[in-house]
Structures are given as C-alpha cells and as structure tokens.
Amino acid sequence: ARLEYVDRACGAATRAVDGFFRSSLVQNAWLRALGADVAWSANVAFFRDLRGSTAHLVAIGDDAFLAGMPLVCCTLRDGAFLTHRRVEVGPAAYVGFGTTLLPGSSVGR
C-alpha cells in the first residue's frame, strides 16, 4: 500500500512539471532521485508510466538515447504474482519513438 502512495506522488509530481522535464539533465536527475541508474551523458526523453517503486530496476548507459516517451515496464504479472525484472539500456544504444521495453530486457551492448 505504501508503494502505491509513492507511485501516485511521483506521477502527480511528474505531470505537474511536465514541460520542465523536457530537459535531459533534469530528467536524468529526476530518474536518479527515484533510484534509477542513469548516466549523466544519456539523452533521455520523458518516460511514460515509470513507477517510483520500480525505478531502481532501470539502468541507462553512457550516451544512450531514448526518444519519444518510451514505455519502460519493470513488472511482469505471472498469474496471481507480480515479478519485478531489471531493464537495461546499454552504452550508446538508441531506443526509438513509442518503444516498449519489457521486464528483463536489455538493449545495446
């Protein structure tokens, strides 16, 4: 229940300052504050639906480029259970517009 409140608060804060988050450095700082492992040199567009409770499962390497609001999903529903898996974007990887990264996926080197 507590994680649900964290997710709601993160979502509300993100929506409130949406235009401010268009800057990659600000976006990287926000993702780092949530617990994600993001290189400062990464160019990250605004994520869709990244939950604060699973942000620590996201890793983005140096000079990676994530364009056009990718959906990063770290949670997998397996019957009645939820399983969390890490999502990794390697150095110099390109993730295009509208991409969905599923739990456990790894892109790039």
Side-chain angles (χ1 to χ4, degrees):
R2 191 188 90 187
L3 292 179
E4 182 179 341
Y5 291 116
V6 170
D7 290 338
R8 286 184 184 179
C10 289
T14 301
R15 284 188 300 277
V17 293
D18 182 35
F20 186 62
F21 274 85
R22 300 298 179 200
S23 166
S24 188
L25 285 177
V26 174
Q27 176 70 5
N28 291 3
W30 174 251
L31 291 172
R32 283 173 161 241
L34 290 177
D37 181 15
V38 180
W40 286 112
S41 63
N43 188 349
V44 180
F46 186 70
F47 276 18
R48 287 185 293 150
D49 198 32
L50 178 66
R51 304 215 174 248
S53 59
T54 58
H56 67 283
L57 296 171
V58 176
I60 302 172
D62 292 322
D63 299 318
F65 186 82
L66 283 76
M69 295 182 66
L71 175 60
V72 177
C73 180
C74 298
T75 305
L76 176 68
R77 183 175 178 173
D78 185 18
F81 300 98
L82 291 178
T83 305
H84 302 292
R85 299 273 188 265
R86 189 167 178 85
V87 174
E88 296 182 5
V89 178
Y94 176 83
V95 177
F97 285 79
T99 300
T100 299
L101 297 174
L102 298 174
S105 63
S106 180
V107 178
R109 295 185 249 159

